Amino acid sequence: MSRYAVSLAVVAMLSWGVWTVIANEATRTIDPELAMILSYSAAVAVAVGYVSVLNDPVSLERTGVVLALVAGVFAGIGAVAFYVGLNAGRAGIVTTVSAMYFIVAVILAAVFLGESLAPTDLLGIAFAILAVVLLAS
């Protein structure tokens, strides 16, 4: 994997970590539903700003548009569950358990996209599941 990709992943990790703490604090003063709407509205503004700065033509192939919209539905379901979870429980547990979405992504990628899983990948998934069990108990 390229250093650029890893660098972007680190930026995402740091940003989502900061976002989680701020989102948790927001749900202490306003309803989690409103906090989610405001947070994702700001995220859409950042995304639109990023795309507008690129000056690249936007591709609108039907399959890609449909898949992006379906992905958005799942992101929205996850966002609702995350924000309500923050309001109902401890940020450290809600965040850690929800961050294990990568387990679902790895399994789905192996099943539907034909990506291979090395023994170390399977071991990592097992440890991640163990971490969720330990944190949730």
Side-chain angles (χ1 to χ4, degrees):
M1 181 177 299
S2 73
R3 283 188 174 174
Y4 180 63
V6 172
S7 297
L8 290 172
V10 169
V11 169
M13 174 193 68
L14 294 172
S15 296
W16 286 333
V18 171
W19 161 71
T20 296
V21 172
I22 295 170
N24 184 63
E25 290 305 303
T27 64
R28 293 175 191 248
T29 57
I30 60 176
D31 290 335
E33 298 82 5
L34 179 58
M36 176 192 57
I37 290 168
L38 294 173
S39 176
Y40 280 90
S41 296
V44 167
V46 169
V48 169
Y50 171 74
V51 170
S52 67
V53 169
L54 287 179
N55 286 329
D56 288 339
V58 176
S59 172
L60 290 174
E61 291 185 33
R62 182 179 177 164
T63 301
V65 170
V66 169
L67 289 172
L69 291 171
V70 171
V73 168
F74 282 98
I77 292 167
V80 169
F82 181 77
Y83 272 88
V84 174
L86 283 177
N87 188 250
R90 292 178 34 211
I93 293 174
V94 172
T95 300
T96 304
V97 172
S98 67
M100 295 297 161
Y101 71 88
F102 74 87
I103 295 169
V104 176
V106 167
I107 293 168
L108 291 176
V111 171
F112 294 106
L113 304 178
E115 294 186 10
S116 61
L117 292 174
T120 54
D121 296 333
L122 296 172
L123 187 61
I125 290 169
F127 279 127
I129 292 170
L130 177 62
V132 169
V133 170
L134 291 173
L135 282 167
S137 59

